[in-house]
Amino acid sequence: MSASELHAIVGLGNPGAEYERTRHNAGFWFVDQLADAARTPFRAESKFHGQLARIKLAGHDVLLLKPGTYMNRSGQAVQALAQFYKLAPTSILVAHDELDLPAGTVRLKSGGGHGGHNGLRDIHKALGESYLRLRIGIGHPGDKSLVLNYVLGRPSRDDDVAIHDALISASAAVETWLSRGWERALTELHTAKK
């Protein structure tokens, strides 16, 4: 997969101050971190149903999008962005919270199922399944009946630190992808010290 194929990174989350620090907003945290590092603010873009920032990352122009729709309508924003900029699904990286990975673990993935994630399920309807993912581990509460309150709750202090450290590693891996290739980025991220 070539670096020139990455044109947009979409962070998934729910809009509003009440959701800002909840686990389900881990995708927002990632794109916020990238925008902050580039000293570039997000601006409301109604045609994309969210907030957009344009940054340079490892010398490449990359769009950052935070959908302003709620999680289960994320596909609306992603589809609008893809249609406007004529982006192939394989040029879009979607950063999202991942129950099946422990807090502090991040993984890049190409294509696949939605794993029951409502944001990914809606993006699947809009784009199919060939888009790229950055899976941000938030851990699992241990019981399926507890998942809703868990993802809409705040991480513990230790988990919060672990997640944010992992997002720094993820940023470095995306830069590696853009400068040295996808396979190198996978190796760097997936063999990082635990």
Side-chain angles (χ1 to χ4, degrees):
M1 190 163 317
S2 90
S4 61
E5 290 179 17
L6 177 64
H7 296 297
I9 301 174
V10 180
L12 298 189
N14 285 308
E18 69 271 34
Y19 297 110
E20 193 174 323
R21 298 305 315 151
T22 64
R23 293 177 182 92
H24 222 17
N25 276 34
F28 276 9
W29 302 345
F30 181 64
V31 292
D32 281 339
Q33 177 183 287
L34 293 174
D36 288 348
R39 294 190 171 94
T40 304
F42 278 91
R43 300 196 189 286
E45 287 279 1
S46 59
K47 67 177 167 262
F48 304 133
H49 312 284
Q51 296 179 23
L52 189 74
R54 292 172 178 85
I55 66 166
K56 281 265 191 212
L57 196 58
H60 291 74
D61 292 317
V62 177
L63 299 164
L64 304 178
L65 177 68
K66 296 196 311 188
T69 56
Y70 284 91
M71 183 68 81
N72 62 355
R73 297 294 309 276
S74 299
Q76 181 182 11
V78 178
Q79 185 172 42
L81 185 79
Q83 286 179 341
F84 184 85
Y85 287 106
K86 298 178 173 45
L87 303 178
T90 53
S91 71
I92 301 170
L93 177 67
V94 175
H96 65 91
D97 59 300
E98 178 59 71
L99 285 161
D100 293 334
L101 293 174
T105 303
V106 281
R107 294 288 179 258
L108 285 165
K109 180 181 178 189
S110 176
H114 56 67
H117 190 289
N118 288 333
L120 298 185
R121 180 182 279 121
D122 200 55
I123 294 169
H124 265 54
K125 289 179 193 169
L127 298 183
E129 62 178 49
S130 61
Y131 59 93
L132 308 168
R133 298 93 193 271
L134 178 70
R135 303 166 66 217
I136 303 164
I138 59 167
H140 196 287
D143 186 322
K144 191 175 179 181
S145 67
L146 302 175
V147 164
L148 181 60
N149 285 336
Y150 182 79
V151 298
L152 294 179
R154 293 175 178 228
S156 69
R157 184 175 180 151
D158 286 349
D159 281 0
D160 192 50
V161 169
I163 291 166
H164 282 85
D165 285 350
L167 294 180
I168 292 168
S169 298
S171 296
V174 171
E175 290 198 47
T176 297
W177 169 19
L178 289 168
S179 60
R180 300 170 73 189
W182 173 259
E183 292 302 325
R184 185 66 182 242
L186 290 181
T187 301
E188 181 180 293
L189 188 62
H190 297 184
T191 59
K193 285 186 269 182
K194 301 290 180 269

